[in-house]
Amino acid sequence: MKILMRADTHYSIVVSGKDYDKPKYIFSQVLAAVAVSMGSMIIGFSSAYTSPALVTMENSTRIDVTSEQATWIGGLMPLAALAGGVLGGPLVDYIGRRRTIIFTAIPFFIGWMLIATAEIVHLVLAGRAICGLCVGVGSLAFPVYLGETIQPEVRGTLGLFPTAIGNIGILICYVAGKYLDWSQLAYLGAALPIPFFILMFLIPETPRWYISRGRTEEARKALQWLRGSKTKIDNELHDITLCDTENRNESSIREILSMKYMKAILISLGLMLFQQLSGINAVIFYTVKIFKMSGSSIDENLSTIIVGLVNFMSTFLATALIDRTGRKVLLYISSITMTITLTIVGTFFYVRDNLHTDLSKLGWLPLTSLMIYLLGFSLAFGPIPWLMMGEILPAKIRGGAASICTAFNWLCAFIVTKTFYNIIFAIGPAGTFWLFACVCFVGLFFVIICVPETRGQSLEEIENKMTGTKARTRRLSSIANIKPLPSGC
């Protein structure tokens, strides 16, 4: 058998077989995913903080908080995260993915200490702004780091670790919020950056960033650590180097917004839009108040704990399924689930408030619906937009484009969070939840028409498809029984 190829073409030959198709859960990759995801725990805690904290803060004798200031305490974090998203793009490109992530730990600690020791509301707002800035930087840097370090076979599963551990942060906040006031809860928030800071020193920078800086030997060491000491990495390192050679020039804003890359950016922006306009941050930030508003017969603090537990468990379901079913199927299920449950919650409020019907016997319905809503959200629309941002954005523009997408995500989060009460006042609780349901329904068609499937594909393969570039790296995945060539051939 002869294989003829052009001299300038690189082939990665992979022999198919069950030993080669198994996911490779190497300890070093799992450690990297856990270390980075500890930052997501802080993000989850920061997002959930206002739900239990505002209730005790408004009743506190130590600090005076008006209703308008309370909305800013909730809304300032995503607004500051918008700025962090803009700042994070240049940082991950110039100082590296790992250093950018490490540098968020200390400001996180400072921000939480400002909140914990505050005696005037302006210090609380300052602390929320600092934490929000770090949230924006981290939410950009985490998926970029994981997308560049984890093997395609397990990138879906390990790429969901930030969401899973972020949901642990939400659950911790809800459970602790039942027993701690706003200040004590902030001290707990200040403790979370410490293990995050320590773990980040145990993992390397991404090989792709080292290659982009011409530091080939450091890239080799980092890739060898990530893949295991016995793994052959020459082909993968060659692919990364080849891709970097083609994308060596720094990208400008004009190039980022060029038609070549626009498809990938618009898909990522669309996923971010539908993620936030599904109303998730309104539900997370104001869970306690939503249950008070519904008149649920179940204690509102206990309800938030149950919601946090469901949110946490559902991500592990997504982790188990994403590399088996793919991204798109889970997004379909997520959209349909959220549409149905939000419609039910809206109908509950409409029947109770407009038809003046006694629904006290159905006090369990809002909790059950929101539990299923969060199950659907955490299954796909929560983690997958961030995961796919690290997958589909081309290497040359990844930092800048991820910055745009992250900033846009937090802009949408700020709008939803800050205007939630205003929307309720304008169209009522029923109209508000129906509005979110309509957004989720439209999101389903966006996924069907626009979103590609990326399961099991290398970043180079995804980039070739997204940009329409003819692949220079080709995999021959069904070569078997190749015998030595007879002499004289």
Side-chain angles (χ1 to χ4, degrees), residues 376-408:
F377 179 84
S378 298
L379 188 65
F381 256 101
I384 288 178
W386 296 109
L387 174 66
M388 292 195 71
M389 182 182 78
E391 290 181 328
I392 67 175
L393 294 178
K396 186 175 183 180
I397 63 161
R398 190 167 290 140
S403 180
I404 293 171
C405 295
T406 303
F408 179 73

Side-chain angles (χ1 to χ4, degrees), residues 17-39:
K18 55 185 179 181
D19 292 337
Y20 292 87
D21 295 332
K22 291 178 181 177
K24 302 173 184 177
Y25 294 101
I26 300 170
F27 172 77
S28 53
Q29 289 187 97
V30 175
L31 176 61
V34 171
V36 169
S37 300
M38 286 298 296

Side-chain angles (χ1 to χ4, degrees), residues 214-265:
R215 296 157 66 173
T216 307
E217 189 55 36
E218 289 169 285
R220 177 179 290 277
K221 289 178 181 178
L223 188 60
Q224 193 71 72
W225 186 91
L226 288 162
R227 300 295 181 256
S229 58
K230 297 181 180 180
T231 304
K232 294 181 180 180
I233 61 169
D234 291 340
N235 282 347
E236 185 175 0
L237 190 66
H238 187 283
D239 288 347
I240 295 171
T241 305
L242 185 67
C243 185
D244 177 74
T245 301
E246 295 171 351
N247 298 320
R248 186 164 294 278
N249 295 329
E250 295 291 334
S251 59
S252 62
I253 292 294
R254 178 177 294 180
E255 189 165 17
I256 290 173
L257 299 178
S258 66
M259 291 304 298
K260 179 180 180 181
Y261 302 123
M262 189 55 62
K263 179 181 178 181
I265 292 175

Side-chain angles (χ1 to χ4, degrees), residues 112-412:
W112 281 115
M113 289 302 295
L114 279 176
I115 297 171
T117 58
E119 295 190 359
I120 57 173
V121 72
H122 295 88
L123 285 179
V124 176
L125 292 171
R128 289 289 286 173
I130 293 171
C131 288
L133 197 68
C134 296
V135 165
V137 173
S139 58
L140 176 148
F142 301 159
V144 170
Y145 181 93
L146 293 179
E148 292 186 354
T149 54
I150 298 174
Q151 289 170 291
E153 294 86 355
V154 294
R155 192 172 59 235
T157 300
L158 296 184
L160 292 190
F161 269 38
T163 303
I165 297 180
N167 287 338
I168 295 177
I170 294 174
L171 181 60
I172 290 172
C173 187
Y174 283 162
V175 174
K178 183 172 174 62
Y179 306 101
L180 305 179
D181 67 15
W182 62 272
S183 178
Q184 295 164 335
L185 199 58
Y187 278 117
L188 177 58
L192 296 180
I194 297 172
F196 167 56
F197 186 73
I198 294 170
L199 283 173
M200 282 304 302
F201 278 99
L202 302 179
I203 64 176
E205 180 57 79
T206 74
R208 282 175 175 79
W209 186 80
Y210 277 137
I211 289 291
S212 72
R213 292 295 180 262
R215 296 157 66 173
T216 307
E217 189 55 36
E218 289 169 285
R220 177 179 290 277
K221 289 178 181 178
L223 188 60
Q224 193 71 72
W225 186 91
L226 288 162
R227 300 295 181 256
S229 58
K230 297 181 180 180
T231 304
K232 294 181 180 180
I233 61 169
D234 291 340
N235 282 347
E236 185 175 0
L237 190 66
H238 187 283
D239 288 347
I240 295 171
T241 305
L242 185 67
C243 185
D244 177 74
T245 301
E246 295 171 351
N247 298 320
R248 186 164 294 278
N249 295 329
E250 295 291 334
S251 59
S252 62
I253 292 294
R254 178 177 294 180
E255 189 165 17
I256 290 173
L257 299 178
S258 66
M259 291 304 298
K260 179 180 180 181
Y261 302 123
M262 189 55 62
K263 179 181 178 181
I265 292 175
L266 288 178
I267 291 171
S268 188
L269 287 175
L271 287 170
M272 297 299 187
L273 176 71
F274 288 109
Q275 180 197 71
Q276 290 301 329
L277 294 190
S278 69
I280 184 61
N281 271 313
V283 173
I284 295 296
F285 278 50
Y286 302 116
T287 305
V288 171
K289 294 199 172 188
I290 289 172
F291 283 115
K292 277 189 172 183
M293 188 170 57
S294 70
S296 173
S297 57
I298 305 172
D299 176 71
E300 60 269 10
N301 284 309
L302 178 60
S303 298
T304 60
I305 294 173
I306 296 172
V307 165
L309 189 61
V310 171
N311 197 29
F312 164 63
M313 296 300 294
S314 59
T315 309
F316 287 96
L317 178 61
T319 301
L321 293 176
I322 192 165
D323 281 321
R324 292 177 173 85
T325 62
R327 282 65 161 153
K328 292 193 72 165
V329 172
L330 291 183
L331 286 169
Y332 297 156
I333 297 170
S334 181
S335 299
I336 294 169
T337 303
M338 290 192 295
T339 301
I340 294 171
T341 51
L342 287 170
T343 301
I344 291 171
V345 174
T347 303
F348 175 89
F349 281 109
Y350 179 81
V351 172
R352 192 197 68 177
D353 297 339
N354 295 74
L355 302 182
H356 307 291
T357 303
D358 181 15
L359 296 178
S360 56
K361 292 183 180 180
L362 295 176
W364 53 268
L365 187 60
L367 173 60
T368 304
S369 297
L370 288 182
M371 284 170 58
I372 300 173
Y373 163 81
L374 284 170
L375 175 64
F377 179 84
S378 298
L379 188 65
F381 256 101
I384 288 178
W386 296 109
L387 174 66
M388 292 195 71
M389 182 182 78
E391 290 181 328
I392 67 175
L393 294 178
K396 186 175 183 180
I397 63 161
R398 190 167 290 140
S403 180
I404 293 171
C405 295
T406 303
F408 179 73
N409 180 283
W410 287 110
L411 173 63
C412 294

